[in-house]
């Protein structure tokens, strides 16, 4: 243990590691181009939010595993609030005109948000896993190790189904022991259970609604991101090698928890 008489007192700056943090924004353009700073800061802020989201998602899953639905709902509410802030932050980036972006775009070379491992970790946690994605990251790297771990873990939906089963719902064994790597496919059995939950079980219906909020919130981010991309680079291909907005448009509108959407017409 350090000696309290000789140890330097914790300050705002030392606690937050401000010197390190504030040295991490390094524009690549000569000059440098004014708007590159905004571009770097906003991406770094997103990565910090992704980190916090992953931390909170781990928390929700743990709370469901421990049969604490009220605290789980509370944490989901925090996640949704963060998501709203993340969507709103795109407004700031939209103040950058196409020409301002083009002034430094070639400096990004092949760098793109498509390579964000934390974004992929969130997708894995929500059931959209891919071995191909893992292979894009160097073996032994922080990103690859994190993705490998999340690949093998139960998704948030798995934790939810197991929780429902312990609440007394007849979740089929095939769902409780489903392949954790497989996509979450619609299931008529689960839909029947969810209809029962919505009709007779306010506590768990509220939990379901928060999951729908989450699903919708992520779709909202995708939609706003593609609109921002369209207004900034139009039909140009992405720096990450995709067709750009055309590729991104295909990712909008897909639901994370299909059963929660399917039942709407049957309630
Ligand atoms: C001027 C600003 C931006 C532009 C023009 C832009 C453009 C693009 C493009 C074209 C793609 C498709 C992949 C490719 O590069 O070929 C993409 C993917 C992506 N971008 Fe952005 N982006 C911008 C800002 C952001 C910000 C602030 C974030 C926040 C982290 C972000 C996160 C992502 C993610 C996660 C993907 C992968 C989406 C997926 O594969 O489903 N982007 N972006």
């Amino acid at each position: 243990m350090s000696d309290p008489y000789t140890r330097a007192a914790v300050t705002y700056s030392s606690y937050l590691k401000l010197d390190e943090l504030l040295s991490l924004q390094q524009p690549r353009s000569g000059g440098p181009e004014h708007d590159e700073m905004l571009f770097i800061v906003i991406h770094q802020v997103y990565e910090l939010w992704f980190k916090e989201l992953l931390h909170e998602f781990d928390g929700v899953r743990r709370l469901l595993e421990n049969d604490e639905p009220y605290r789980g709902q509370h944490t989901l509410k925090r996640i949704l609030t963060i998501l709203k802030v993340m969507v709103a932050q795109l407004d700031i980036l939209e103040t950058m005109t196409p020409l301002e972006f083009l002034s430094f775009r070639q400096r990004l070379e092949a760098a793109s948000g498509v390579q964000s491992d934390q974004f992929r970790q969130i997708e894995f946690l929500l059931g959209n896993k891919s071995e191909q994605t893992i292979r894009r990251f160097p073996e032994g790297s922080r990103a690859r190790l994190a993705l490998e771990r999340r690949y093998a873990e139960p998704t948030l939906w798995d934790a939810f189904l197991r929780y429902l089963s312990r609440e007394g719902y007849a979740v089929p064994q095939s769902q409780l022991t489903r392949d954790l790597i497989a996509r979450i496919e619609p299931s008529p059995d689960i839909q029947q259970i969810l209809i029962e939950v919505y009709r007779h079980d306010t506590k768990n219906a509220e939990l379901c609604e928060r999951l729908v909020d989450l699903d919708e919130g992520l779709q909202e981010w995708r939609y706003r991101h593609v609109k921002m991309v369209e207004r900034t680079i139009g039909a140009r291909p992405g720096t990450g090698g995709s067709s750009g907005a055309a590729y991104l448009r295909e990712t909008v509108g897909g639901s994370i928890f299909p059963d929660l959407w399917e039942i709407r017409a049957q309630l």
Side-chain angles (χ1 to χ4, degrees), residues 6 26 35 39 41 49 61 69 76 86 97 104 108 115 142 144 151 162 167-169 175 178 232 251 256 258:
T6 53
Q26 296 166 8
D35 284 39
F39 190 79
V41 167
W49 281 133
R61 201 178 40 192
L76 273 171
M86 285 171 56
T97 67
F104 62 87
L108 306 178
Q115 296 154 349
R142 173 201 57 75
R144 177 123 171 196
Y151 190 70
R162 291 173 194 182
E167 282 283 281
Y169 290 97
Q175 289 284 338
R178 75 174 197 103
T232 310
T251 67
I256 302 168

Side-chain angles (χ1 to χ4, degrees), residues 39 42-43 46-47 50 90 93 96 101 105 111-116 119-120 123 221-222 225 228-229 232-233 236-245 247-248 251:
F39 190 79
I42 205 144
H43 278 83
Y46 268 108
E47 287 296 332
F50 290 158
L90 288 170
L93 212 42
M96 184 173 67
F101 182 47
R105 191 184 188 217
S112 159
V114 84
Q115 296 154 349
S116 165
F119 184 78
R120 298 298 169 211
E123 288 195 317
W221 184 84
R222 285 187 190 278
H225 173 260
M228 180 206 57
V229 171
T232 310
I233 60 167
R236 282 192 166 97
T239 45
S242 80
S243 56
Y247 154 73
L248 292 168
T251 67

Side-chain angles (χ1 to χ4, degrees), residues 2 14 23 50 94 99 129 131 163 168 177 213 237 257 264:
S2 64
S14 72
S23 68
F50 290 158
E94 282 187 342
L99 285 176
K129 298 180 183 181
E131 226 181 315
Y163 159 76
T177 55
D213 286 342
F257 309 122
R264 311 270 133 185

